[in-house]
């Protein structure tokens, strides 16, 4: 039998959380190959749901910039609305950081 050593940076299902950051129209309108990006994010979120990974989402000043685009929002947990923030850094949002810490997850998959 081959002894395969696990790499220390491999994501572990019981320690991973997905964070979807600011998937809002103003930020996506000029993105190169937008449809490919959105398709990849959708695939990632579908996989996260299948594996029962927690998913957090943020919006940047939704009052002015709008909500998460519908094709992404439909894949987000319905009982946990996006964390709205006014700083670009998610980590400056106290509610977001509180939820992240509450989860106990140490590995974050950003998209």
């Amino acid at each position: 039998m081959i002894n395969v050593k696990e790499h220390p940076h491999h994501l572990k299902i019981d320690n991973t959380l997905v964070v979807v950051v600011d998937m809002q129209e103003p930020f996506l309108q000029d993105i190169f190959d937008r449809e490919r990006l959105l398709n990849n994010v959708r695939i990632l979120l579908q996989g996260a749901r299948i594996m029962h990974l927690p998913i957090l989402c943020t919006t940047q000043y939704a009052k002015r910039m709008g909500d998460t685009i519908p094709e992404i929002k439909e894949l987000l947990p319905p009982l946990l609305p996006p964390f709205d923030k006014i700083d670009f850094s998610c980590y400056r949002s106290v509610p977001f950081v509180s939820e992240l810490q509450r989860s106990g997850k140490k590995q974050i998959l950003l998209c």
Side-chain angles (χ1 to χ4, degrees):
M1 179 184 261
I2 298 174
N3 185 8
V4 178
K5 211 172 189 187
E6 186 175 301
H7 191 279
H9 299 297
H10 282 176
L11 296 176
K12 295 173 180 57
I13 197 166
D14 60 340
N15 202 29
T16 300
L17 172 88
V18 176
V19 176
V20 179
V21 179
D22 304 349
M23 286 285 173
Q24 297 159 271
E25 190 58 44
F27 300 119
L28 295 169
Q29 65 189 6
D30 294 324
I31 291 286
F32 174 76
D33 213 355
R34 172 192 166 119
E35 291 311 312
R36 182 175 176 197
L37 168 77
L38 293 178
N39 188 51
N40 287 339
V41 171
R42 288 178 56 80
I43 290 168
L44 175 74
L45 291 175
Q46 289 166 346
R49 289 173 58 159
I50 289 168
M51 294 186 292
H52 304 286
L53 294 177
I55 302 170
L56 300 181
C57 180
T58 68
T59 52
Q60 176 69 32
Y61 193 35
K63 183 177 179 179
R64 179 157 185 179
M65 306 300 277
D67 202 0
T68 302
I69 60 171
E71 54 263 56
I72 299 301
K73 189 169 185 171
E74 71 185 15
L75 294 170
L76 298 175
L79 299 178
L80 187 60
F83 292 91
D84 197 36
K85 57 191 180 53
I86 56 172
D87 288 299
F88 279 106
S89 172
C90 294
Y91 223 75
R92 292 190 59 146
S93 166
V94 173
F96 173 81
V97 172
S98 294
E99 184 63 23
L100 184 63
Q101 290 172 339
R102 189 196 66 73
S103 78
K105 307 298 183 184
K106 302 296 182 201
Q107 296 178 308
I108 300 172
L109 183 56
L110 282 175
C111 77

